[in-house]
Amino acid sequence: MEQKRHSFSGSIGFVLAAAGSAVGLGNIWRFPYLAAKYGGGLFLVVYLILAVTFGFALLTSEVTIGRMTKQGPLTAYSKVNKKFKFLGILACVVPMIILPYYCVIGGWVVKYLVAFATGKGFEAADPDYFGGFITANIEPQVMMFIFMIIIAIIIVMGVQKGIEASSKIIMPILFVLVIGIAVYSITLKFTDASGITRTGLQGLKILVVPNFEGVTLSSFIALLLDAMGQLFYSLSIAMGIMIAYGSYVRDEDNLVKSVNQIEICDTGVAFLAGCMIIPTVYVFQGEEGLAKSGVGLMFKALPQVFQSMGKIGNVIGFLFFAMVLFAALTSAMSILEAIVCSFMDQFKISRLKATVIETIIAVVMAVVVNFGYTIWYFDYTLPNGSVGQILDIMDYLSNNFLMPIVALATCILVGWIAKPEVITNEITKNGEKFGRKGLYNVMIKFVAPILLVVIFAKSVGLF
Ligand code: PHE
């Protein structure tokens, strides 16, 4: 059954949906940590430069391929060039790997939100709380399922009534929450047991003031690599998402402007998340607290910080996890949409059917991810040296292995086979001004592919 292709009602809907996808756990639990690790301001400047060059070129390419072909990722690349069918398959496999474990983490966020909402948030400050929860048999599965069902319902409702409508409500609330919590964090002050007083403003300094102490060539290269990897993930590139969302943009809308706005939102929220996390953690846990990121930061260190705040900590914890849930929901629905859109275009099935099929597949895989902490618990060592469980293997396979390949192949397709003019012609077809056209050409042909090869080499542990 062929149905009329959905579309966003206009640029604002598209920008909010795409920004919703881009703003996710990466912004909240990794960006602040990297910024603190690499001497604050210096990292911010490098990240910004990469965002307006490297990130901009990749994001522009994907969104434009989507609008040009009006196809989901699975079939879009082969429409540009027949030999690139494999790329479509890869770009559809990536979100299929990410969705299940993202929903497992989404389930953890639901659990913590409920804990803070029912006044039991401080129990989460117990060092064994998180481990106890994820190794339980039933509860993590239920939480994952709740999260998955919410996004499945939104996706069934369609592009305008589901994705766009929910993003238009969620994103403004998310912006207000991040700004509110960031302002609160900066005003914090705490004297610890040894009599040392630390303030939020001192924490903010760590984030924004460049610290060149101990910077060497090799530490700068490490910074550059981490900034690139972070940016690439943060913009939801190489996951099929921006192609799917791009395919719903109307022909008359200005893509150049939209891409800029998406980048501003993503980078802005990453920075604000830094203003929120770094001062808070620094005030209550000092420099050593700042060494945490990811799961350890969000589900262990922060609940302890909220407890140290006293009574108000429960409210702040609740607002914080509500904000994280919003960020995770809009990212998760974009990743489900990338797959649903692909299935609909390839197999000509209805949105409902495509969503049901993928939701079943993802739930089964997510159950297995949860088993990784119980009956199938095992410590795996990954090629980059880190140790993890099933969730980490899937994360590694998608982010470190497949995504750089997808992005690199996209650069080759656009830069060398189809030629960049295909993209620049599409993006300027209504007479739009594309100021960074020259930069775009150089980036997509030469610079981005080289950077991607370097990212890939680092991911697989070559250096
Ligand atoms: N850009 C997202 C983030 O920063 C990455 C992502 C998007 C992950 C969609 C999964 C699904 O977290």
Side-chain angles (χ1 to χ4, degrees), residues 21-22 24-27 98 102 233-234 236 239 241 331 334-335:
S21 171
L25 295 171
N27 300 57
I98 298 178
Y102 210 79
Y233 180 78
S234 190
S236 300
M239 304 178 179
I241 295 173
S331 293
S334 71
I335 206 118

Side-chain angles (χ1 to χ4, degrees), residues 10-321:
S11 295
I12 297 179
F14 165 61
V15 169
L16 287 179
S21 171
V23 173
L25 295 171
N27 300 57
I28 301 164
W29 80 19
R30 239 174 86 78
F31 182 88
Y33 153 81
L34 288 174
K37 177 176 170 190
Y38 289 116
L42 182 60
F43 179 85
L44 298 184
V45 170
V46 171
Y47 187 88
L48 251 147
I49 294 174
L50 285 170
V52 296
T53 54
F54 174 65
F56 145 81
L58 292 176
L59 185 59
T60 302
S61 305
E62 290 204 3
V63 187
T64 312
I65 291 178
R67 186 174 76 176
M68 193 169 74
T69 60
K70 302 274 184 303
Q71 291 290 304
L74 183 56
T75 43
Y77 299 97
S78 57
K79 250 200 147 170
V80 179
N81 184 294
K82 285 217 165 54
K83 292 208 186 83
F84 277 71
K85 192 156 179 49
F86 76 95
L87 182 53
I89 296 173
L90 280 184
C92 185
V93 166
V94 170
M96 289 183 78
I97 297 175
I98 298 178
L99 181 63
Y101 78 77
Y102 210 79
C103 288
V104 167
I105 301 174
W108 300 346
V109 179
V110 174
K111 161 79 182 173
Y112 275 59
L113 180 65
V114 171
F116 278 93
T118 52
K120 295 202 196 98
F122 290 167
E123 287 172 18
D126 182 328
D128 295 327
Y129 182 88
F130 180 68
F133 163 59
I134 63 165
T135 54
N137 287 320
I138 307 293
E139 205 185 5
Q141 306 284 19
V142 174
M143 296 296 170
M144 170 273 290
F145 193 70
I146 293 174
F147 185 87
M148 184 91 79
I149 289 300
I150 299 176
I151 60 160
I153 291 173
I154 296 175
I155 294 306
V156 168
M157 286 164 57
V159 176
Q160 261 184 42
K161 294 206 187 90
I163 300 172
E164 182 175 330
S166 58
S167 303
K168 279 183 168 165
I169 301 171
I170 291 180
M171 293 312 286
I173 303 179
L174 191 147
F175 293 141
V176 171
L177 282 174
V178 197
I179 295 172
I181 304 175
V183 170
Y184 176 76
S185 311
I186 296 168
T187 58
L188 285 169
K189 195 174 177 176
F190 182 70
T191 307
D192 66 15
S194 50
I196 299 172
T197 303
R198 286 182 296 262
T199 67
L201 268 180
Q202 291 169 336
L204 185 66
K205 265 193 182 159
I206 298 181
L207 175 69
V208 292
V209 179
N211 175 6
F212 293 103
E213 208 182 302
V215 176
T216 59
L217 182 63
S218 72
S219 77
F220 186 76
I221 292 175
L223 178 159
L224 204 60
L225 277 170
D226 271 345
M228 267 176 341
Q230 170 66 14
L231 173 71
F232 172 61
Y233 180 78
S234 190
L235 285 174
S236 300
I237 283 160
M239 304 178 179
I241 295 173
M242 292 302 171
I243 299 217
Y245 276 13
S247 78
Y248 302 130
V249 175
R250 300 176 311 172
D251 281 318
E252 61 267 37
D253 289 338
N254 186 332
L255 280 183
V256 183
K257 254 199 198 148
S258 301
V259 165
N260 289 342
Q261 289 164 348
I262 297 165
E263 284 211 289
I264 292 171
C265 288
D266 185 51
T267 311
V269 173
F271 177 71
L272 284 168
C275 297
M276 173 174 88
I277 305 253
I278 308 243
T280 319
V281 174
Y282 175 74
V283 165
F284 292 102
Q285 302 193 337
E287 298 266 356
E288 65 261 41
L290 296 179
K292 296 190 191 92
S293 76
V295 171
L297 171 78
M298 190 165 300
F299 298 107
K300 295 177 187 164
L302 282 176
Q304 287 168 5
V305 165
F306 296 138
Q307 191 187 34
S308 316
M309 288 178 180
K311 254 204 156 109
I312 192 170
N314 217 319
V315 179
I316 303 290
F318 170 75
L319 294 175
F320 175 80
F321 281 106

Side-chain angles (χ1 to χ4, degrees), residues 394-432:
M394 290 169 69
D395 182 55
Y396 178 82
L397 190 65
S398 52
N399 296 345
N400 299 47
F401 193 73
L402 294 174
M403 282 165 51
I405 297 179
V406 170
L408 180 62
T410 307
C411 290
I412 295 172
L413 172 64
V414 173
W416 298 93
I417 299 183
K419 302 287 186 262
E421 291 73 44
V422 172
I423 299 292
T424 49
N425 288 345
E426 166 72 25
I427 210 169
T428 53
K429 72 178 176 191
N430 306 309
E432 290 91 342

